[in-house]
Structure formats: structure tokens, C-alpha cells
Amino acid sequence: MGADGELRFSIEPSPAVIAAAERAVLLEDPGFGRVFTDHMVTVRWREGQGWHDAKVEARRPFQIDPACAVLHYAQEIFEGMKAYRGEDGGIALFRPEQNARRFNESARRMAMAEVPEQLFLDAIDALVRIDAAWVPGGEGSLYIRPFMFASEAFLGVRPSAEYIFCVIACPVGAYFKGGKKAVTVWVSDDYTRAAPGGTGAAKCGGNYAASLIAQAEAIRHGCDQVVFLDTAEKRWVDELGGMNIFFLFDDGSLVTPPLTGTILPGITRASVIDLARAKGMTVREEPYAIDQWRADAASGKLREVFACGTAAVVTPIGTVRSAEGDFTIGNGDGGETTDALRAELVGIQRGRVADANGWVRKVG
């Protein structure tokens, strides 16, 4: 702990970093979530002591007790964010303070310790600085995964008295195979993602675990992603398995499902709304039904649909499949507005477009 009360990180560089030549080969085609950097950040929390033991160290496996609370009661949350290498060689983060705030919203919902915003940001900066060589240029980026889990060894249904906050990172390319092409989605009739009063707005592993069977169903039907409907009527569009969704109409307006507690409040979603409104577009956050989606696509009223999130950025949806049949949006390839919003967002993230909103944070 420093004299100013801030937690200081001890830095223990890895004695076995991957050689530059081998790293360069890995960066040529890293895929997504398979190649990891040399280091990680860990900070511990204990009831009565608070946050302590902040370290930047070699990435390594955790050693945990078989009674570790996360293994039994699933107290776990995470975030997803990226570091980008600009054309000037500098490294930048995109709205990381929003990730810090959402992380704590998730922590509150899961009855976990909150991570001070500055500690969260310092942990991200520390990892990016020590592993800066892993931030690719071009269209790649460094995907950063802050997460926290209950680490106390006990059996009993109560919040844990101990937590570990950790940050790891991996260089990534496109989330979907094929890059920016339009994807095909499957509408799930049998499974729902979240219910009112549940954990839908929290970024916790359990939400994603519950979505995997529906995602597997989508893949069996030749689709890239699953679309979830509401739990009560199974009529209203919620979101995709890991992304928010937008609908563009022939009058130039956008609609996206409202944040009612069952949908993750995406940072990319919020950014798209702000960028669209700055262009003079009308954006409505309101319910949209699957039967209306089908009818509007058939009539031509619906021109474009896209999904958005940190991993996928802005990705057009071309075809929708379901037990009731398939339909196509527009020409099935996306559209000009989707492309323009993606280009502006990516341009801001990479320093090619002016950052009028102050969203970009440089890593020194």
C-alpha cells in the first residue's frame, strides 16, 4: 500500500517469456482465445482485510482447494475488453472505466466484493504495459479478460469471505470465421437466457453456461449464433448468446431491445447508440417481436440487422433460421449503415477517427 492509500503492484517478470520470433509467428494468426500472453495480474480480497497482495507475475495455473466456493456455488464474474495498437504504434483502451463500472454492477448482483475502479484500471494498465509486445498491429487486438471468483474453501450457501481478482490477455483476430461477412442466427424456441429478477444483466459465467446448449443447437442448424426470446411469452427478442442486437428500418431509424434486467448492458451497444444519434438517426430502445421481425423482413421495411459486442464489434446478420422456417434480411450481406457504424467505431478505437466523446484511454 502506498503512502497515498493506493494499492501498489509488485512486479515479478516471467523468467520464461516467449521469444520474439515465436511470438511473431503466433501473432500472424492467433485465432480467438487460444494464444495467451506471458503474464497475469492477481489481487486478493479477504473479509476484514480488503484488497491486498497485488501482483504482476508469470501466467500460471491456480492451485485451489476442492472445497473452493466457486466450484460449488458459482460466484464468478468477468469482463471483456480490448487494447488496440494505433497507426502511431501507441496502445489504447476503449472506455475501460465502463468495464470497471459494469464489473462492479455484476459483483453487487452476485454478492461479491467490489473492485475499486482505480484498482481495476491500474490492473489493466499493468498487464498491458508488461505484455505490450503482444498487442498486434493491423486489424488484430489484445483481448483482455478481467475476472473474479470466490476462493474461500468452505461448503455452505453464503457469500464467500475471500476472492481473487485476476486479469489475463490474449491476442485475437476476428471473432467469427470469415471476418466481417454476415452471419446466420438460430431462434431458440426451447431455451431462454434470463428471466426478470435473475442475473441476465450480470456478466457471470452461469449465464453463458446456460446458453451453451442453445448455441450447440444453433450450430447443428448451420448457424453462427443463437437468438434468445423472452421467458414469459417467448415472443420478444432479448439478445444473442453473447451480443446485443439492432434493427435498421426503411425510415433510417434503429431499434434495440430495452435494458430491463434480462439483457447485458453492452458497452459497444451504448457506443453504437451514441454514434447513431450523433449522425441524426432516431434510436428507439423498445421491445421487438420475432413475428414482427419476420414480417418486416418480408415486406422490406426492415433493411439491416446487426449484432454488436466487444469480441464481434459490429457484425451484420444476414439470415434467420427457426423451427418455423428461414428468412433473409435485405440482400443477406449486411448493409451500408452497419458498415458505416462499424467503420466509425473501429476508427475511433484505432485512432483513425477523431474521438469526440473522450472514449479512448492511452496506455503509457
Side-chain angles (χ1 to χ4, degrees), residues 225-270:
Q225 265 285 332
V226 61
V227 176
F228 287 106
L229 305 178
D230 72 293
T231 56
E233 299 180 61
K234 290 191 177 179
R235 180 189 175 201
W236 305 102
V237 177
D238 263 3
E239 63 176 334
L240 274 66
M243 287 157 276
N244 298 121
I245 188 168
F246 282 82
F247 304 89
L248 176 74
F249 296 93
D250 55 3
D251 63 358
S253 66
L254 276 173
V255 165
T256 190
L259 301 178
T260 58
T262 63
I263 295 174
L264 189 73
I267 295 164
T268 307
R269 174 188 183 276

Side-chain angles (χ1 to χ4, degrees), residues 185-188 211 214-215 217-218 224-228 239-242:
V185 298
W186 171 258
V187 180
S188 179
S211 75
Q215 179 63 26
E217 181 182 58
D224 301 287
Q225 265 285 332
V226 61
V227 176
F228 287 106
E239 63 176 334
L240 274 66

